[in-house]
Amino acid sequence: MPVISGFSKLTKEEKIKWVVKHYFNDDQSVVEEFENFWHPDQKIQDNMDEFSENTLTNFYMPFGVAPNFKINGKNYCLPMVIEESSVVAAACNSAKFWLDKGGFKTEILSTVKVGQVHFKYKGDKAHFLDYFSELKPQLLEGAAYLSASMEARGGGVVDIELIDMTAFEPDYYQLKVGFETCDAMGANYINTVLEEYGSLLKEIISKNPSFSNIPDVILCIVSNYTPDCLARATVECKVEDLGTVNGMPPEEFAEKVRASVRIAEVDPHRATTHNKGIYNGVDALILATGNDFRAVEACGHTYASRNGRYSSLTHCSIENGIFRFWIDLPMALGTVGGLTNLHPMVKRSFEMLGNPNSNELMQIVAVAGLAQNFAAIKSMVTVGIQKGHMKMHLLNILKQLGATEDEKKAAIEYFKTNIVSFAAAKFLLTTLRNDKKVH
Ligand code: MEV
């Protein structure tokens, strides 16, 4: 396939033309298709185009809502952007389940974010480590001007530590910096301060005659692992108040949920799927609020491995007749900056949530994860996951087979007692259509 230089300089129309020529046999219907997905309001489309580079068109995702979430006594309707069927339905199911049982309780456990200056220093280790108590105030003071506006909002640099990493890589040290970034996700602010620390580190050491070596700075970058930026969401009630769940007595249901969570705590294979289900809910809300779902996921998975073995992000206990189910979820979120003021649907998501600050948003996201996990386990330990999944899957299959409304009704009825598969659905539709011809 051809290579092109200066592609980014082409107009959007020229980019489409080039792509269609080389990758779609110059099929003009593909040009039309790309254009049909443009927003009719040019201002909105320009805005969309500028979120990224080399934009040809828009890629639609369903924007749904899950109402009836009671969080700390307040009712919320969660915006969810997700392409997987059943996720929004599962969130709604969980919200409804806990609505009359006290709802979800949440708290912020901590809000510190992290950035690092990774560097090599080949000189005397003891002297360097010893000097850090003098170096630290100079770094803090030298870069203080970059934190003025963050400090005015109540944030800034929390602490700087010097970490000796020479046991893992020769001459490798890091400045590990804690930040409070208030309602901003903070990556830009953090990276700016870190780069300044990197320069100051070299400058200060080079001017000090007691050092014969200058540190060699390798990377200055935010860490997406923020174990101390943590929200907890909990649901709890008396076991008997769980009621009969899909025909299962409350005691048996509670124990099966507890055992399911325990399995995910001890088995990484199960934990991966279990946590994936949690991120079905988390990512949907993260996308709807214009946050960075890759950062949020990466953080959560590292946190899930913090004890040396990948494990469940949720936990469950049954003590003194009380069923308790909770999640501790680390994440760095922003409610200002980034897409939050630019994407029209992100703005609507925030409005729907009552314009939360970042601490509130973290708590709502933790609820979305917990609710999603509860709904999945609730299905799996009672009726099985396929019942709900297959209903949605069946609708997709019927759509692919071009089923009419009457055929859809007949198929839904038929598959209440038969196993869904593409072949079975095709066979059913063929039979229905042949029967129609005969009559
Ligand atoms: C599917 O997207 C998510 C589940 O597999 C999660 C789980 O197994 O806990 C249902």
Side-chain angles (χ1 to χ4, degrees):
M1 279 296 169
V3 168
I4 179 170
S5 62
F7 183 76
S8 66
K9 308 238 162 34
L10 300 181
T11 65
K12 188 160 73 173
E13 288 73 9
E14 287 166 341
K15 283 174 189 150
I16 291 179
K17 207 171 155 193
W18 187 88
V19 168
V20 170
K21 179 171 176 211
H22 295 290
Y23 292 91
F24 298 95
N25 284 329
D26 219 7
D27 178 349
Q28 292 310 297
S29 71
V30 179
V31 174
E32 250 172 62
E33 203 174 342
F34 280 133
E35 289 176 357
N36 283 341
F37 278 80
W38 288 350
H39 197 282
D41 182 332
Q42 191 59 44
K43 239 171 94 193
I44 294 178
Q45 188 54 52
D46 289 347
N47 202 7
M48 290 286 171
D49 290 352
E50 284 161 18
F51 290 151
S52 183
E53 299 85 28
N54 292 343
T55 312
L56 304 184
T57 190
N58 306 309
F59 184 97
Y60 288 3
M61 290 271 277
F63 179 113
V65 292
N68 299 323
F69 271 93
K70 189 180 198 174
I71 306 175
N72 301 333
K74 201 169 142 189
N75 287 341
Y76 289 85
C77 178
L78 306 195
M80 300 182 83
V81 173
I82 182 108
E83 87 299 350
E84 183 177 332
S85 52
S86 306
V87 169
V88 175
C92 295
N93 186 298
S94 235
K96 222 34 188 305
F97 185 92
W98 287 104
L99 188 62
D100 63 355
K101 297 176 185 66
F104 295 79
K105 302 279 176 339
T106 62
E107 60 187 307
I108 290 290
L109 301 179
S110 49
T111 58
V112 177
K113 289 159 191 165
V114 178
Q116 295 159 303
V117 176
H118 303 273
F119 63 95
K120 290 224 170 181
Y121 178 68
K122 290 187 195 297
D124 178 352
K125 184 203 279 199
H127 178 46
F128 187 63
L129 295 177
D130 198 42
Y131 182 70
F132 185 63
S133 58
E134 282 179 55
L135 177 66
K136 182 171 153 179
Q138 295 179 68
L139 292 172
L140 286 169
E141 202 186 312
Y145 74 102
L146 293 170
S147 293
S149 84
M150 192 53 89
E151 278 172 13
R153 286 188 265 156
V157 175
V158 176
D159 195 18
I160 312 179
E161 290 171 85
L162 173 62
I163 316 272
D164 177 1
M165 302 290 285
T166 54
F168 305 100
E169 162 74 14
D171 312 316
Y172 166 38
Y173 299 83
Q174 61 173 258
L175 296 175
K176 186 175 176 208
V177 188
F179 293 90
E180 176 59 64
T181 63
C182 307
D183 287 334
M185 191 262 191
N188 280 332
Y189 158 67
I190 291 174
N191 288 336
T192 306
V193 173
L194 293 172
E195 288 188 2
E196 185 68 354
Y197 285 157
S199 308
L200 286 167
L201 174 68
K202 287 192 287 187
E203 194 185 310
I204 295 164
I205 300 291
S206 67
K207 283 186 185 155
N208 187 321
S210 74
F211 289 96
S212 52
N213 268 279
I214 300 172
D216 181 14
V217 173
I218 299 169
L219 312 162
C220 305
I221 191 76
V222 67
S223 170
N224 288 128
Y225 182 41
T226 55
D228 292 318
C229 198
L230 198 61
R232 173 173 290 171
T234 309
V235 282
E236 66 177 13
C237 69
K238 286 185 191 156
V239 170
E240 70 217 47
D241 290 347
L242 290 166
T244 301
V245 184
N246 297 335
M248 186 178 278
E251 295 73 20
E252 185 185 350
F253 174 72
E255 176 47 28
K256 284 205 163 136
V257 174
R258 191 207 60 76
S260 299
V261 175
R262 186 67 193 141
I263 290 165
E265 282 172 343
V266 298
D267 175 50
H269 272 96
R270 175 55 205 148
T272 305
T273 319
H274 177 97
N275 289 345
K276 185 274 182 189
I278 291 171
Y279 281 100
N280 277 343
V282 168
D283 285 356
L285 188 48
I286 294 293
L287 270 167
T289 56
N291 272 280
D292 181 342
F293 63 94
R294 287 86 58 210
V296 171
E297 279 229 15
C299 179
H301 294 305
T302 310
Y303 189 73
S305 319
R306 70 195 179 285
N307 297 322
R309 189 180 173 84
Y310 188 82
S311 182
S312 170
L313 288 165
T314 54
H315 308 283
C316 184
S317 67
I318 304 170
E319 279 166 18
N320 305 320
I322 302 291
F323 172 85
R324 185 164 176 262
F325 182 56
W326 74 99
I327 188 168
D328 287 348
L329 199 67
M331 68 201 113
L333 300 185
T335 52
V336 296
L339 282 194
T340 51
N341 286 323
L342 297 173
H343 195 299
M345 288 299 111
V346 170
K347 277 200 237 173
R348 292 294 178 213
S349 294
F350 275 108
E351 272 176 62
M352 202 184 296
L353 293 171
N355 290 316
N357 62 25
S358 68
N359 281 1
E360 285 163 344
L361 184 60
M362 280 170 71
Q363 294 171 77
I364 301 168
V365 170
V367 166
L370 187 70
Q372 205 66 41
N373 188 226
F374 181 77
I377 295 176
K378 177 169 165 272
S379 290
M380 287 186 291
V381 301
T382 58
V383 291
I385 201 79
Q386 284 311 80
K387 197 171 175 217
H389 268 191
M390 279 308 179
K391 207 166 127 196
M392 305 300 254
H393 185 49
L394 173 63
L395 294 179
N396 283 338
I397 292 175
L398 293 173
K399 208 182 291 166
Q400 277 179 50
L401 292 170
T404 63
E405 282 307 312
D406 282 350
E407 287 171 345
K408 257 191 220 168
K409 268 188 212 147
I412 289 169
E413 199 49 43
Y414 175 81
F415 284 110
K416 274 184 185 162
T417 48
N418 290 284
I419 292 174
V420 176
S421 72
F422 190 85
K426 198 170 170 188
F427 182 74
L428 177 74
L429 289 193
T430 312
T431 313
L432 288 173
R433 286 168 188 170
N434 284 341
D435 279 359
K436 220 170 163 187
K437 271 188 220 152
V438 172
H439 292 110

